[in-house]
Amino acid sequence: MLLSSFRRSAATAAFRSPYVVASASAATRRTMMAAAAAEPLMKTSLNEWHKELGGEMVPFAGYELPVLYKGDNVKNGGVMKEHLWCRSEGKASLFDVSHMGQIRWHGKDRAKFVEKMVVGDIQGLDTNHGCLSLITNDQGGIKDDTVIVNAGDYIHMVVNGSMKFSDMAHFQKHLDDYDGDVTMEYLEDDMQLLALQGSGSADVLSKLLPEGFNLKTMAFMTGLDTTIDGIENCRITRCGYTGEDGFEISTPSGISTIQIASKLCSDPNVNPTGLGARDSLRLEAGLCLYGNDLNETINPIMGTLAWTLGKGGPNARRRQEQDFTGASTFLKEDGKLKKQARKRIGIIGMKAPARQYTEIYDVDGIQLIGEITSGTFSPCLKKPIAMGYIDTIMSKNDTPIKLKIRNKMVDAHVTKMPFVESNYYRVPE
Amino acid sequence: MSSSRFALNLSRRVLGKTLRTKVASQHLGATRLSSYYTPAHEYVKVDGIIGTCGITDFAQAALGDIVFVSLPDVGDEFDAGDSFGSVESVKAASDVYAPVSGTVVEINEALNDSPELVNSSAEAEAWFIKIEMTDTSEAQKLMDETDYEKHCEDEA
């Protein structure tokens, strides 16, 4: 068996089937090729810290990051243990996600401009409130997913590490044609991003926050500037990529990041966690990975992400105004959604894990009706789970299907997501 | 426990991971099990014309937590180098290749319910298949334990 295949990066995915074809832009190729070729990998502030803790480093989105932790001194390392820790009562997992792009938007027209780029109701965000949104292209395809927060006098936007340069090139192109007061500030290496996820995160993080800061009243999808462990100019956002309660923590780069990460990990309830567990956690939570489950040939309707267009059905402001790039390609004039030929679904019931590119057939195993875009073995459910796209007429829950795994037709069925119930925080009444 | 078995376990504790089946075969008496290894980290333990195949301890350590093993059926035939199954962790799957040619006469059903056995006992309880070999000399062309250890050091 070839051990090298285990170290291949998710960022270097190349799509092969008509179901999920994507053409990578030059900027994306740059980040992807940096991982593959002679260009050295970029390092986050925690690079040495990861190695000291036993991090097994791999290329991802052009950066060197830990896929898991292992070693004689590592008690809760490996994808399985790291994953299960995150979902354990009172525990928290710490991820280094500094490869992701952090952008600040300034100027009085910032919300109006950002709305041209994304599908969500950005102008409607109260101060400190945020949302998940999608950046679209002229054909209504998704260029990236992003978390956007109204930070009061600026807008805070986080995009995927593999797409950040492509996204900013896209924004710049539109900025050049835009007549208004808006500037885009890429925080580059000045700021790092950590994610603390798990039911124990609030307790752990509150120990490092200023006196009087009450996390009990901080709602899901809100963010605040704050001091952490005495370090100023940090920002915390109550959101994440695991389905658990948690926080994304933006900190100044360098020793500040190391100090905060070390302080957090000194808490016995916190476990440093790698990209391997990050992927299995998000898949159990039914969350998309851009590049696998979303790409420029998929629009928000196909991706079952129409909710990002805002509340109110067809009468939602953004569905009526349709002033974001590519809106009319998937919205009718009255704001209703155009029917799509295929749809994103969950898949379960197969005995063997089914990974990206696995073909989906009808129950007779004759007609090709879809393809899996992400698949793994669920550490919580102890069975294989997958996400993929299927002909809309076959997409009802419990529809029996066949998966072609290693040239054998294997039984499975369509199911709803998330696979594991989410624990997003609700402020008590 | 017989005194020879006791000595084996004691030396395992003393010498740690470096103790290999070569020493084991010297203690276990009449039946000599010779172990051979492929560069791709499979092993075959030869007993007459039956070869017991699996992946090595070095391989399971590199793979991480094993969650699924795909085995062939009894009666399936393979040439040396053919893929006969796969082993999967949470993150990825890897083919496993036949170290020798032959017909599968037994598969280790225990791995269906307990794939994690591969992590805890790769070269003992977690054998994958037993092959009736078509050509016993094929095994001898593979690496012996010493050469395999060196191969692992070079790869690490």
Side-chain angles (χ1 to χ4, degrees):
Chain A
M1 42 149 305
L2 302 169
L3 296 182
S4 59
S5 63
F6 269 63
R7 301 198 174 106
R8 203 175 297 132
S9 153
T12 56
F15 303 103
R16 296 185 327 228
S17 110
Y19 269 88
V20 275
V21 171
S23 55
S25 70
T28 320
R29 251 179 248 125
R30 186 190 339 140
T31 19
M32 286 159 85
M33 280 165 67
E39 238 181 277
L41 292 171
M42 293 181 273
K43 293 181 175 171
T44 65
S45 296
L46 294 180
N47 187 274
E48 283 304 317
W49 185 89
H50 290 308
K51 289 168 180 167
E52 276 161 32
L53 286 180
E56 186 178 297
M57 309 304 278
V58 298
F60 188 82
Y63 286 79
E64 188 181 55
L65 287 164
V67 65
L68 53 87
Y69 294 83
K70 67 196 235 184
D72 294 326
N73 296 326
V74 179
K75 284 176 290 191
N76 297 294
V79 176
M80 189 73 94
K81 287 199 183 127
E82 290 173 29
H83 177 117
L84 292 171
W85 181 282
C86 189
R87 300 227 190 276
S88 300
E89 187 58 44
K91 301 275 187 266
S93 298
L94 183 69
F95 303 82
D96 180 3
V97 291
S98 305
H99 57 295
M100 297 184 76
Q102 297 186 69
I103 299 168
R104 281 191 195 149
W105 295 91
H106 305 279
K108 71 169 173 33
D109 297 320
R110 60 188 180 279
K112 279 215 200 87
F113 178 80
V114 170
E115 280 200 351
K116 281 189 159 343
M117 301 290 97
V118 307
V119 304
D121 182 8
I122 309 304
Q123 294 192 74
L125 287 174
D126 289 334
T127 306
N128 296 329
H129 284 248
C131 65
L132 173 75
S133 201
L134 305 171
I135 302 166
T136 49
N137 65 22
D138 292 332
Q139 289 78 48
I142 299 169
K143 291 186 73 68
D144 203 2
D145 56 351
T146 170
V147 170
I148 300 174
V149 177
N150 175 1
D153 49 5
Y154 67 94
I155 288 173
H156 187 243
M157 177 190 265
V158 178
V159 293
N160 281 299
S162 58
M163 305 309 295
K164 59 185 178 181
F165 296 119
S166 156
D167 293 340
M168 288 189 287
H170 171 73
F171 296 149
Q172 192 56 56
K173 204 177 75 173
H174 287 268
L175 277 170
D176 293 341
D177 290 333
Y178 187 73
D179 194 15
D181 174 25
V182 55
T183 46
M184 173 176 72
E185 183 195 0
Y186 171 44
L187 300 183
E188 202 157 9
D189 299 323
D190 293 336
M191 301 293 284
Q192 301 286 284
L193 194 65
L194 304 176
L196 186 67
Q197 301 282 304
S199 56
S201 340
D203 276 344
V204 169
L205 183 58
S206 60
K207 292 178 189 156
L208 303 186
L209 294 174
E211 191 85 26
F213 197 120
N214 186 4
L215 284 178
K216 283 198 171 60
T217 57
M218 184 179 186
F220 178 60
M221 295 309 288
T222 61
L224 289 166
D225 290 318
T226 183
T227 301
I228 301 177
D229 200 33
I231 293 168
E232 292 177 344
N233 302 317
C234 297
R235 159 159 280 265
I236 59 175
T237 312
R238 197 161 202 159
C239 70
Y241 195 48
T242 59
E244 299 298 322
D245 184 21
F247 301 84
E248 291 195 346
I249 302 166
S250 183
T251 85
S253 299
I255 47 174
S256 299
T257 313
I258 297 171
Q259 179 184 325
I260 291 172
S262 301
K263 244 327 171 19
L264 288 169
C265 282
S266 69
D267 190 311
N269 288 321
V270 177
N271 192 39
T273 307
L275 294 173
R278 183 167 168 80
D279 188 49
S280 49
L281 284 161
R282 67 96 190 163
L283 188 43
E284 281 184 350
L287 301 170
C288 296
L289 172 62
Y290 191 85
N292 282 46
D293 314 299
L294 300 177
N295 60 54
E296 297 210 37
T297 67
I298 292 168
N299 65 40
I301 322 300
M302 288 161 55
T304 65
L305 296 168
W307 61 266
T308 58
L309 273 74
K311 292 202 171 93
N315 293 322
R317 179 178 61 87
R318 306 247 43 215
R319 285 170 67 169
Q320 288 295 308
E321 289 175 9
Q322 300 192 16
D323 56 353
F324 57 86
T325 320
S328 57
T329 61
F330 57 82
L331 291 175
K332 296 184 195 166
E333 270 179 39
D334 59 3
K336 291 205 174 119
L337 311 174
K338 287 187 183 168
K339 283 205 183 343
Q340 304 296 317
R342 52 194 158 111
K343 189 178 162 182
R344 183 173 66 97
I345 47 137
I347 300 162
I348 205 167
M350 51 284 197
K351 293 215 166 68
R355 316 267 177 180
Q356 186 183 24
Y357 309 132
T358 300
E359 290 175 334
I360 303 172
Y361 287 81
D362 64 358
V363 68
D364 299 318
I366 296 168
Q367 185 154 8
L368 180 67
I369 57 171
E371 188 181 77
I372 286 177
T373 50
S374 290
T376 190
F377 181 89
S378 159
C380 287
L381 301 178
K382 304 251 179 290
K383 52 175 80 153
I385 56 175
M387 195 189 288
Y389 286 81
I390 205 171
D391 289 345
T392 306
I393 46 169
M394 302 292 285
S395 65
K396 239 175 73 166
N397 286 338
D398 302 323
T399 303
I401 54 178
K402 289 268 199 291
L403 305 176
K404 195 175 190 185
I405 301 174
R406 315 193 135 258
N407 277 317
K408 284 198 186 135
M409 288 295 181
V410 169
D411 287 317
H413 61 269
V414 177
T415 191
K416 64 175 171 56
M417 294 184 284
F419 298 95
V420 170
E421 213 181 292
S422 308
N423 289 316
Y424 297 125
Y425 184 70
R426 277 201 190 87
V427 177
E429 301 285 312
Chain B
M1 237 192 311
S2 71
S3 59
S4 62
R5 187 68 69 90
F6 180 81
L8 171 64
N9 288 337
L10 178 65
S11 43
R12 268 209 181 107
R13 283 202 296 280
V14 168
L15 296 174
K17 264 204 208 159
T18 56
L19 183 69
R20 311 308 298 228
T21 36
K22 194 200 284 184
V23 181
S25 66
Q26 291 168 3
H27 285 274
L28 286 170
T31 312
R32 295 280 170 106
L33 291 181
S34 303
S35 292
Y36 302 95
Y37 302 83
T38 69
H41 307 287
E42 290 95 8
Y43 67 80
V44 55
K45 294 187 186 181
V46 177
D47 184 6
I49 60 160
I50 301 295
T52 300
C53 309
I55 66 169
T56 65
D57 192 57
F58 180 90
Q60 72 74 20
L63 292 174
D65 306 307
I66 302 301
V67 299
F68 184 80
V69 176
S70 169
L71 298 172
D73 296 317
V74 170
D76 284 349
E77 292 173 8
F78 298 101
D79 290 328
D82 285 349
S83 163
F84 72 81
S86 68
V87 60
E88 307 207 32
S89 70
V90 172
K91 265 211 79 58
S94 196
D95 278 321
V96 188
Y97 302 100
V100 292
S101 313
T103 309
V104 179
V105 294
E106 205 182 326
I107 59 174
N108 191 351
E109 309 255 14
L111 297 183
N112 288 328
D113 293 322
S114 307
E116 64 277 7
L117 264 178
V118 180
N119 293 121
S120 58
S121 189
E123 295 184 39
E125 284 173 62
W127 55 273
F128 284 25
I129 59 174
K130 293 191 200 267
I131 289 186
E132 189 179 281
M133 300 185 287
T134 45
D135 177 2
T136 52
S137 70
E138 264 185 345
Q140 280 142 29
K141 295 187 191 116
L142 300 173
M143 289 184 276
D144 67 10
E145 170 208 318
T146 320
D147 290 341
Y148 177 66
E149 266 176 39
K150 185 167 185 311
H151 170 69
C152 291
E153 278 164 27
D154 291 342
E155 237 189 52

